[in-house]
Structure formats: structure tokens, C-alpha cells
């Protein structure tokens, strides 16, 4: 899990690459979208505004084809993260959902408003507590701007 202090830090570190620029475009568009409805920018990014509390997850979730990027607008959330290799598989990978589920324990991280996190594909994560949460949830393809299967 990569934790960034701000959107400005994200813009500085990830300024190269169309998919990262689309993340910024999506974040800057959040005033124009309904909460909890997915939208897309091109074929490499889907995003939504999450408003309200997250439910605590029992299992870790991991991805293979997409990165999860979360930008925290308000509130805070505790996220537990671990390498997939250190966890036990609970449900195998599904190509249809790009999800696989794990059990075990990981390192907890408290994320506050203004911060961003990028969940790397060799890791899995679960959410355990949220307070007054508002965040932008982005699903970004691992490919550079296109899908290999199209």
C-alpha cells in the first residue's frame, strides 16, 4: 500500500501516464457526480464518490487487473494491508470481478482526510473502521491506457 500525504503529492509523483492523469481528472469532477454511482474516464478508469460509512470487511480483498486508488475528502478510515503471500486464500481469483479473498492479519493504517492510498496488486486489504467518511474510489487498469484483451 502506498500512502500519499495529499493530492498534490500524487500529482507530482504520478504526473506521467495517461491513467494517472485520468485519476486527477476524475477527482476534479466529483462535484458533478452522484454518490455511490460508478462513472468512467476512457477505458482505463472507473470511479465513484463514496459518501457515508464503510462496513467492516471480514476478509481481505486483492486484485490483479486493477489498482484501487482512494482519495479521502473527509473523515478517516482504518485499513489493514498485507502481502497476499502472507495470507491464506479464502476464495480463489475471479476474472469476472477481478477479486480474490484472503484471511489472516495485516498491518493497520489510519488514513485521514486529504490523504491518498494506492493498493498494489501483490497485496490485499480490508477496511475495519471509518468515521464520517467521504472519499473517491478509483479502479485503474494496470495496463498503460488500454486493455490487452481488446
Amino acid at each position: 500500500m502506498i500512502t500519499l500525504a495529499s493530492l498534490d503529492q500524487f500529482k507530482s509523483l504520478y504526473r506521467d501516464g495517461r491513467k494517472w492523469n485520468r485519476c486527477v481528472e476524475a477527482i476534479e469532477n466529483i462535484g458533478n457526480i452522484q454518490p455511490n454511482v460508478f462513472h468512467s474516464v476512457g477505458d482505463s478508469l472507473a470511479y465513484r464518490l463514496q459518501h457515508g460509512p464503510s462496513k467492516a470487511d471480514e476478509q481481505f480483498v486483492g486484485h490483479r487487473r486493477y489498482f484501487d486508488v482512494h482519495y479521502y475528502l473527509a473523515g478517516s478510515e482504518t485499513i489493514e494491508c498485507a502481502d497476499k503471500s502472507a495470507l491464506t486464500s479464502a476464495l480463489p481469483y475471479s476474472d469476472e470481478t477481478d477479486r480474490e479473498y484472503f484471511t489472516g492479519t495485516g498491518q493497520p493504517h489510519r488514513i485521514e482526510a486529504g490523504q491518498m492510498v494506492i493498493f498494489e496488486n501483490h497485496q490485499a486489504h480490508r477496511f475495519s473502521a471509518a468515521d464520517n467518511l467521504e472519499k473517491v474510489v478509483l479502479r485503474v487498469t494496470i495496463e498503460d491506457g488500454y486493455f490487452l484483451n481488446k
Side-chain angles (χ1 to χ4, degrees):
M1 183 172 97
I2 299 168
T3 304
L4 303 170
S6 66
L7 180 58
D8 287 337
Q9 184 182 20
F10 177 85
K11 288 177 181 179
S12 175
L13 292 172
Y14 296 93
R15 65 182 171 270
D16 295 328
R18 183 174 22 184
K19 67 183 171 190
W20 303 119
N21 290 324
R22 285 181 171 169
C23 288
V24 174
E25 181 182 333
I27 290 167
E28 290 174 347
N29 187 47
I30 59 168
N32 299 317
I33 66 172
Q34 296 289 325
N36 300 315
V37 176
F38 270 99
H39 299 269
S40 66
V41 178
D43 63 356
S44 62
L45 173 86
Y47 68 102
R48 69 182 168 90
L49 175 62
Q50 181 177 330
H51 205 48
S54 293
K55 66 178 182 81
D57 295 325
E58 291 183 26
Q59 297 178 330
F60 288 83
V61 64
H63 303 286
R64 295 184 185 179
R65 290 191 334 257
Y66 291 88
F67 296 110
D68 273 0
V69 178
H70 293 212
Y71 175 52
Y72 288 78
L73 302 168
S76 60
E77 185 167 48
T78 299
I79 304 165
E80 196 175 349
C81 189
D83 285 350
K84 292 177 186 178
S85 62
L87 300 170
T88 302
S89 179
L91 275 170
Y93 178 75
S94 168
D95 192 47
E96 292 176 357
T97 63
D98 187 43
R99 289 188 178 98
E100 55 191 328
Y101 295 91
F102 301 89
T103 59
T105 58
Q107 178 70 35
H109 303 270
R110 189 74 177 166
I111 307 300
E112 304 288 336
Q115 291 183 297
M116 289 186 78
V117 293
I118 302 170
F119 298 102
E120 298 182 272
N121 288 46
H122 69 279
Q123 297 176 321
H125 59 276
R126 68 178 166 191
F127 303 100
S128 59
D131 297 314
N132 302 315
L133 187 64
E134 185 174 22
K135 66 181 178 178
V136 181
V137 177
L138 304 109
R139 300 276 326 255
V140 185
T141 184
I142 61 169
E143 288 90 16
D144 196 19
Y146 64 91
F147 289 114
L148 295 175
N149 62 348
K150 288 190 174 185

